[in-house]
Amino acid sequence: DIVLTQSPGTLSLSPGERATLSCRASPSVSSSYIAWYQQKPGQAPRLLIYGASTRATGIPERFSGSGSGTDFTLTISRLEPEDFAVYYCQQSDSSLWTFGQGTKVEIK
Amino acid sequence: QVQLVQSGGAVVQPGRSLTLSCEASGFSLRSYAMHWVRQAPGKGLEWVGVISFDGLNIHYADPMKGRFTISRDNSKNTVYLQMNTLRLEDTAVYYCVRARGVGDQWGQGTLVVVSS
């Protein structure tokens, strides 16, 4: 089974700052199968990034994804007030999904 | 408007059964694999299982094998999650998710509470 480990658990930042979220896969996974989701309290998750680096429809350009093999990154270039939320990475190899444990981005 | 409308959540006693429904509107479900994902209170996302677009291939996460059954009726544009022998640890919000590889459309979630 593919295990995804996200770090840090919590990221305390101010609006306007840059956020860098990490997702490590074990074993390695094709970047084609890596996605990122955003979840706000009381809401369903929303797809942000798929294929490790492709923004989903309607997702602002400040969100970007990168990485390959075992190390993947979600970057939010300049945090907006609505970006404070929990972020999950996901792998979808062989149609069997695994999620990371999540990174909470909170207001400092 | 593309959406997945979920129903069936309830408070049930341990050992009992419950079936959740997920009806698609604004699109045809028959072109998509459908997943179920759950989230225990205050916890992260946990994958439950998947059913292929035609219902011929179904896979479950290990903790759900033998207790949960995913099915679909494409003529009703609906997917189901039948949960048997429910345990306290099955308490969660359950989401159905439309997928083409990744989950691009999520239901609103339905709460299942297992409590005596």
Side-chain angles (χ1 to χ4, degrees), chain A residues 17-19 21 62-63 74-79 83 87:
Chain A
E17 289 194 294
R18 182 185 187 91
L21 287 67
R62 64 181 180 273
F63 291 92
L74 174 69
T75 302
I76 310 171
S77 58
R78 286 171 48 183
L79 283 165
D83 298 337
Y87 293 83

Side-chain angles (χ1 to χ4, degrees), chain A residues 37 39 43-44 88 92 95-97, chain B residues 35 39 44 47 59 95 101 103 107:
Chain A
Y37 298 85
Q39 187 179 32
Q43 296 184 16
Y88 295 94
S92 57
S95 297
L96 309 182
W97 290 359
Chain B
H35 294 252
Q39 187 170 36
W47 181 71
H59 301 280
Y95 296 100

Side-chain angles (χ1 to χ4, degrees), chain B residues 37-98:
Chain B
V37 174
R38 72 182 184 181
Q39 187 170 36
K43 302 298 183 181
L45 303 173
E46 181 181 23
W47 181 71
V48 172
V50 58
I51 185 167
S52 61
F53 71 98
D54 55 4
L56 296 182
N57 292 288
I58 305 172
H59 301 280
Y60 302 95
D62 286 344
M64 293 74 179
K65 287 179 181 176
R67 296 193 303 125
F68 288 14
T69 301
I70 300 173
S71 61
R72 66 192 297 157
D73 185 340
N74 285 341
S75 68
K76 295 183 178 179
N77 234 17
T78 302
V79 176
Y80 305 94
L81 176 64
Q82 179 181 347
M83 303 180 290
N84 297 327
T85 319
L86 282 162
R87 305 167 179 166
L88 297 177
E89 56 266 33
D90 294 321
T91 294
V93 174
Y94 287 74
Y95 296 100
C96 60
V97 189
R98 183 182 82 171

Side-chain angles (χ1 to χ4, degrees), chain A:
Chain A
D1 291 2
I2 298 174
V3 176
L4 300 178
T5 302
Q6 293 186 239
S7 61
T10 302
L11 202 50
S12 299
L13 295 168
S14 300
E17 289 194 294
R18 182 185 187 91
T20 303
L21 287 67
S22 174
C23 176
R24 178 158 290 180
S26 177
S28 64
V29 60
S30 168
S31 58
S32 299
Y33 300 122
I34 290 292
W36 291 89
Y37 298 85
Q38 176 194 65
Q39 187 179 32
K40 297 179 181 179
Q43 296 184 16
R46 176 176 71 146
L47 178 66
L48 296 176
I49 300 284
Y50 63 93
S53 61
T54 302
R55 278 187 301 276
T57 303
I59 301 303
E61 291 184 0
R62 64 181 180 273
F63 291 92
S64 63
S66 63
S68 64
T70 60
D71 292 298
F72 300 91
T73 300
L74 174 69
T75 302
I76 310 171
S77 58
R78 286 171 48 183
L79 283 165
E80 297 288 339
E82 62 268 28
D83 298 337
F84 292 91
V86 179
Y87 293 83
Y88 295 94
C89 61
Q90 178 217 33
Q91 70 81 26
S92 57
D93 192 11
S94 303
S95 297
L96 309 182
W97 290 359
T98 307
F99 292 94
Q101 78 277 24
T103 291
K104 181 179 182 180
V105 179
E106 65 176 21
I107 300 176
K108 186 175 181 180

